[in-house]
Structure formats: C-alpha cells, structure tokens
Amino acid sequence: MELLEFARGPALTFAITVFIAGVVFRIVSLFLLWRTKDSSAGSSRERSAFSAAIREIIRRLWPQSAYKQRTLFMLINGYVFHFGLAIIVFFLLPHIVFFKDLVGLSWPSLPNNVIYAISIITIVSLIAALVMRLSNPAQRIISTFDDWFSWLVTFLPVITGVIATSHLGARYETLLGLHILSVALLLIYLPFGKLMHWFLVFVTRSQTGAHLSHRGAQL
Amino acid sequence: MNDKKTLGEMLTERGVSRRTFLKYASYTASIMALPPTAATAIAQGIANARRQSVIWLSFQECTGCTESITRAHTPSIEDLIFDFISLDYHHTLQNASGHAAEEARMQAMQENAGEYIVVVDGSVPLKDDGIYSTIAGITNLQMLEETVKDAFAVISVGSCATFGGIPGANPNPTGAVPITDIVTDKPVINISGCPPIPEAMTGTISYLLSFGSIPELDHLNRPKAFFGEAIHDRCYRRPFYERGMFAKSFDDEGARQGWCLFEVGCKGPVTYNACATLKWNGGTSFPIQSGHGCLGCSEPGFWDLGGFYKPLSTAKGDPLKWAGGAAVAGAAVGAASAIMARNKRNKILKEGK
C-alpha cells in the first residue's frame, strides 16, 4: 500500500510537473527558433502553406505505392498499437475517472473485458514493432537509446496494467503502484525524446508539406 | 482463572449441548478455511483446554472493537467465547474498577505467566513521553511493555492497534504507533478493521485455544483465513465492474441497480478482509451491499488514502499543484534557449562577414 500511495501521490505529481514543464519548454523553444526565410521563387505548382500542410498530413496516412510492399506491415502495425494505446488510455473507466478528477471532463467507458482484449492486441503489436527493429539490420544500426527507451516506457504501462488487472505475480495494490510508476516514467521521459511526437507529429508534417510544395512536389 | 475444569466439562455443566458445541466448531473451521476434519480437532482442542487467561488492553481507541466482538452472531457464540476465555482485564466489560481492576491484571499476569494472551485495541502514543493517554497513572507504553513481558502471544484488534488507525492519521498529533512497532519479541497477530469482523476475532481466539499455535498470517501479520482475499475479488458487484457498469452517484439508476461503486470511491480492490463473504450483523449485509463503497478500513493508513469518495485510480492530493509554475518555468527556459540559439546564430553570421 505504501508503494501505491507513493505512486498516486508524490511520484505522479512530480511526473506531471516534469511533463508539463518539458512539453512547454520543447514547444516554446521550437517555435521561437529563428526560421530562415526561403527567398527562392516557389514552384509554379506551389500551394498555399495551409493547403500543403493538410495534404501532407493526409498523404502520410498511407504509404505511396512505391514503398507499399516494404512498409505496409510496419504501417498497419503502427496503426494497431497507436489506436490500441489511445483506446486503452481514454476508454478504460479507471483512466476516465483519473482524467475527470484531473481536468473535470468525462465520457462513456468501454467494458473492461473489451479493453483487456485490446491491451493484448496492443502488447503483441508493440512486441512486433520491437522484433522488426531488432531483425532489420539497417534499422538496428540507426537505432539509438531514444528508440529503445521510448519503446520501453510505452510498453511498461501496458504490460503492468494488464498484469495488475489479471492479478498476476503480486498483490493488486503493488501491481497498481508499479503501473502508475511506469506511467510516471513515461510522462517524465516523453518531452525529451521522440515520444514528443505526441504533440509535434502534425506540426512537423505540416512544415514538411509546405517545404515540399514550395519545391514543386506533387502532394 | 483457577478453574481446574476443562472447557468441555464447564460447557456441559451450563447445559450447552454437544450438538451446539460441534456446530460452533464446524462453523469456526469453515470460516477459517480449514479442512472439515479440523472441526473435530477444534472441538477436541477446545473441550480439553483450560480457560485461557486474556488481558485486554484498551489504549487510544473508541471501544468500537469491543462493541463489534460482543455482536458475534453465531447462536450463543458470545457466551461461548466468554466462557472459553477468562477475560481478566477489560475496561468496558469488567466489573472491577480503579485499584481493584489493576490488581486483577497483576494477578492474572502472575498466575498465568508465559501463558496468557494479551489483546490490544487502540494505538500507543509515544510523543512527549506518551502523556496523551494514561491509565491508572501509567502511560500506555508502560502498561503494554509491562503486560506483554510474560505473555504467550499478543493479538492486536482494530486498525488503531494494528496500523495506527485514526489516532495515527496525518498529522498524528500524539505520535501514535501500532503495537508491532513496540512488541517485537513476541508473536503479534493483527486483526485489522474499523472495527474488525467479530468472527475474525473470535475465530482467531478459538484457533489459538484449539491448536495452541498461531494461524497462518499474511505479510501484515493478519490471519490469511480472514484477510487472504480482496473485497473486490469476492464482491457480488464485481461482474458490473468487468462489464463497465458503474454507479455515478449514490442516488442514480446505477446505484439502485446495484452496479459497481468504484467510481464513487470504493477501495475494495486494495482492501483485504472478509466483509464480502462473512458479512456483518449475522450475515445480513456489508457496507457495499448497503450501497456505500468500501473505505479500506482494514488497510494501513486507510484514513489518509486520499479521500473516501475519491476513486482509487485518481491521483492522491493535487497533482496539478505545480502545473502553473511548471508551464511558466518551461516557457521561460524554452524562450531563453531559443534566444541563445538566435544570438549564437547572429554571432556566427557576423563573424562570417
């Protein structure tokens, strides 16, 4: 119970504080950076920045035919665990109750057993992503600490959540404490690595779209 | 306590039939999850036992534990348990008072040295030399140390004695501690709860009388027979939890339909006790059945778990208390780092020229 109290209290407060400070720091520092004005004449096919940004976001939702065969599994797998994670985080009642307590908003939940099944699919999908990274020599070579650690801090909350729900190995309060601590670890690390794509994915894609469109790429 | 008769002989004299006695033995065996054969062992053990001297010490407590044990529901169990034991000292139940009461305690300790059981309810204040609770001119700490010195075993009943309870709740003004913090050289059985389930108390005492040994305990020194499973795991509302059907308030349709009380703060998932199986008041009901979430009263620090009506999955306290400061600090450091990067760029450009 002491572990759970520590996790629900000081650990979570500290993690949320670091998370907010880190995310604001990353966003402010990014947007205040000097941006070199591109003075070159744009392509005749150049679209407005907004239109290019939207088109790029949509275009990247599915692989181009030239790469389809090589990337389709990775892409589908990516969708599976991203949607899986989102459903688990936002539609399990204990999670909704957490958000309600935090920000005052709540919404309907899904039955626990449905979330449980989605969690298992998500775990398999995350393991598949890791196996692909390990088995592809090129990907393995370019992987850094950030890649491995980001995977780990994403995986831990899911696996500890499932173990806690299943009452495996230890008492529920211990498992729940470990689950919350794993979420704290995720929140602390999130702003400082590639997981910052939580906030920046569409920002970077928009920028890429505007840039490519200026150069005349067909979006 | 000088009674030389066995309990079996005494019960026969009082007209307790063998059938009634065996029913009690079977019941005790079953609530303690012992094999059916243990009923015979309990019956024989108790029948052949001499009356067990028990000294009951009440410290920083509310007498709720005593109220609870005197409401044990098995027919005549109340009589039985007080016939099985010789309750030589108990503030609420003994006739003697003042010096006579203290003399009874001393006499029981002398006559049964090494054999008597000490039951304690209430926590012990240690702050300021323990002056916050004294009995007969001595502090609770002195009385406890003096009494347990020659005891066979100690049973802490109630959450105050087992974990500090309400006196030990934040900010713990009296420096209240549980009995296990003080008694370290003797077996201490913890029967937690605010109050504990009567059968958990009487069942444990019966086990001690029958087998002369300590029942199997969990990591918090509680008998596994009563504290082995979480309320949530044996709760009749559990299927609603799995189906995602939750009462949103104590008065909504869900509450009327008997849906799960997790969202209104039930601590059943982290509370280990037998309320959902043994129930209270003669097996009538238990808090969750009456429509209120479990408070977690048999767990350490239940008073400080972050609020009785705050769901278990919420953060304790206010996790956003530093959020504003964190955002300002993050923005300041972010702006500073961007300005530094710009200055660096300008410097390089100037030098380049």
Side-chain angles (χ1 to χ4, degrees):
Chain A
M1 197 61 113
E2 280 163 12
L3 182 77
L4 178 60
E5 290 312 288
F6 170 72
R8 286 179 68 206
L12 208 50
T13 304
F14 176 74
I16 289 175
T17 306
V18 172
F19 172 77
I20 291 173
V23 167
V24 174
F25 159 70
R26 285 291 306 271
I27 290 174
V28 169
S29 62
L30 182 72
F31 279 87
L32 288 184
L33 270 184
W34 175 268
R35 267 165 290 165
T36 312
K37 194 169 162 49
D38 191 343
S39 307
S40 63
S43 156
S44 58
R45 286 203 296 243
E46 185 178 359
R47 296 171 180 279
S48 72
F50 182 76
S51 159
I54 298 294
R55 279 170 174 269
E56 179 68 357
I57 287 168
I58 294 168
R59 193 176 70 91
R60 284 188 180 249
L61 293 176
W62 201 247
Q64 300 304 295
S65 50
Y67 306 108
K68 207 174 217 166
Q69 218 178 348
R70 270 192 292 166
T71 59
L72 195 61
F73 177 77
M74 214 173 352
L75 186 105
I76 291 174
N77 192 49
Y79 272 118
V80 169
F81 73 73
H82 274 89
F83 276 107
L85 289 168
I87 293 169
I88 298 165
V89 171
F90 293 112
F91 291 98
L92 178 69
L93 182 105
H95 296 168
I96 296 173
V97 165
F98 173 80
F99 292 122
K100 186 182 175 188
D101 181 61
L102 204 64
V103 293
L105 296 173
S106 74
W107 48 89
S109 62
L110 284 173
N112 286 13
N113 295 336
V114 173
I115 300 285
Y116 195 83
I118 292 171
S119 304
I120 301 298
I121 295 168
T122 307
I123 286 171
V124 171
S125 175
L126 281 168
I127 291 173
L130 181 70
V131 168
M132 286 199 66
R133 186 176 284 281
L134 282 166
S135 58
N136 183 330
Q139 231 188 337
R140 201 170 59 226
I141 289 166
I142 60 168
S143 292
T144 61
F145 169 81
D146 186 25
D147 295 300
W148 303 118
F149 199 66
S150 297
W151 182 89
L152 184 70
V153 296
T154 308
F155 185 72
L156 284 178
V158 189
I159 193 77
T160 53
V162 166
I163 291 173
T165 313
S166 319
H167 289 217
L168 293 174
R171 290 161 81 93
Y172 180 71
E173 63 270 27
T174 308
L175 298 170
L176 183 61
L178 290 175
H179 175 62
I180 296 174
L181 286 178
S182 72
V183 174
L185 183 66
L186 168 69
L187 289 176
I188 290 169
Y189 184 67
L190 192 140
F192 307 108
K194 66 189 252 181
L195 289 175
M196 189 61 194
H197 77 267
W198 273 30
F199 296 94
L200 294 180
V201 59
F202 296 123
V203 175
T204 51
R205 284 186 183 176
S206 299
Q207 174 66 35
T208 309
H211 179 68
L212 291 179
S213 167
H214 185 72
R215 292 283 193 88
Q218 206 169 9
L219 298 176
Chain B
M1 194 50 218
N2 294 324
D3 212 327
K4 299 294 179 201
K5 287 177 187 165
T6 63
L7 288 171
E9 289 163 350
M10 285 171 54
L11 291 169
T12 311
E13 271 179 19
R14 294 190 185 198
V16 175
S17 72
R18 179 152 178 80
R19 182 181 173 80
T20 307
F21 182 58
L22 285 175
K23 266 170 77 178
Y24 170 71
S26 309
Y27 175 75
T28 305
S30 71
I31 61 172
M32 295 200 73
L34 298 170
T37 49
T40 319
I42 288 177
Q44 282 173 354
I46 293 177
N48 294 327
R50 309 277 166 188
R51 285 180 82 199
Q52 171 71 48
S53 170
V54 171
I55 296 175
W56 184 303
L57 303 177
S58 300
F59 296 144
Q60 294 194 126
E61 48 83 41
C62 69
T63 314
C65 299
T66 297
E67 292 287 342
S68 178
I69 200 171
T70 55
R71 278 156 182 73
H73 72 78
T74 307
S76 79
I77 191 172
E78 181 182 323
D79 304 327
L80 283 173
I81 200 68
F82 291 114
D83 280 341
F84 290 166
I85 61 173
S86 167
L87 197 55
D88 293 326
Y89 182 82
H90 188 304
H91 293 166
T92 313
L93 301 176
Q94 73 190 143
N95 285 328
S97 62
H99 290 298
E102 293 309 308
E103 271 167 30
R105 179 169 65 90
M106 292 298 176
Q107 192 187 344
M109 283 161 59
Q110 278 166 12
E111 288 176 2
N112 306 289
E115 290 173 3
Y116 61 90
I117 294 172
V118 176
V119 177
V120 189
D121 66 339
S123 60
V124 177
L126 294 186
K127 200 174 164 192
D128 300 328
D129 297 325
I131 56 156
Y132 297 104
S133 179
T134 62
I135 298 162
I138 59 171
T139 65
N140 291 169
L141 178 65
Q142 285 170 311
M143 183 176 274
L144 180 67
E145 286 177 337
E146 180 182 288
T147 313
V148 300
K149 195 159 60 102
D150 293 322
F152 159 63
V154 179
I155 304 177
S156 296
V157 299
S159 289
C160 298
T162 52
F163 306 129
I166 294 169
N170 185 38
N172 192 1
T174 64
V177 297
I179 304 310
T180 43
D181 278 16
I182 298 164
V183 180
T184 50
D185 59 342
K186 293 240 179 325
V188 178
I189 303 172
N190 282 338
I191 303 175
S192 59
C194 190
I197 298 177
E199 287 75 19
M201 295 189 270
T202 56
T204 304
I205 293 171
S206 299
Y207 187 99
L208 279 174
L209 292 175
S210 311
F211 299 106
S213 62
I214 310 286
E216 198 184 350
L217 305 177
D218 72 1
H219 70 293
L220 295 170
N221 285 5
R222 301 179 297 191
K224 276 191 177 171
F226 303 108
F227 299 93
E229 286 181 289
I231 304 270
H232 185 61
D233 290 344
R234 302 302 296 265
C235 181
Y236 75 103
R237 296 191 190 223
R238 176 66 181 268
F240 293 110
Y241 175 85
E242 301 301 345
R243 275 183 248 158
M245 296 160 88
F246 297 92
K248 307 283 177 194
S249 77
F250 290 110
D251 198 30
D252 68 359
E253 188 56 26
R256 291 200 188 97
Q257 298 291 331
W259 293 359
C260 178
L261 300 170
F262 181 90
E263 212 176 324
V264 285
C266 183
K267 304 293 183 291
V270 295
T271 306
Y272 294 79
N273 206 338
C275 302
T277 44
L278 287 179
K279 301 193 180 177
W280 289 79
N281 300 323
T284 307
S285 183
F286 71 113
I288 293 173
Q289 194 173 341
S290 308
H292 194 286
C294 168
L295 302 181
C297 78
S298 59
E299 294 304 311
F302 83 100
W303 203 255
D304 292 321
L305 284 182
F308 292 156
Y309 302 101
K310 249 191 127 181
L312 193 61
S313 64
T314 57
K316 195 180 154 192
D318 178 16
L320 294 178
K321 61 183 168 189
W322 296 319
V328 171
V333 177
S337 73
I339 290 166
M340 276 164 64
R342 281 175 178 233
N343 288 343
K344 195 175 171 187
R345 177 180 178 277
N346 290 339
K347 201 176 160 192
I348 292 169
L349 284 179
K350 266 185 197 166
E351 283 169 2
K353 277 176 188 171

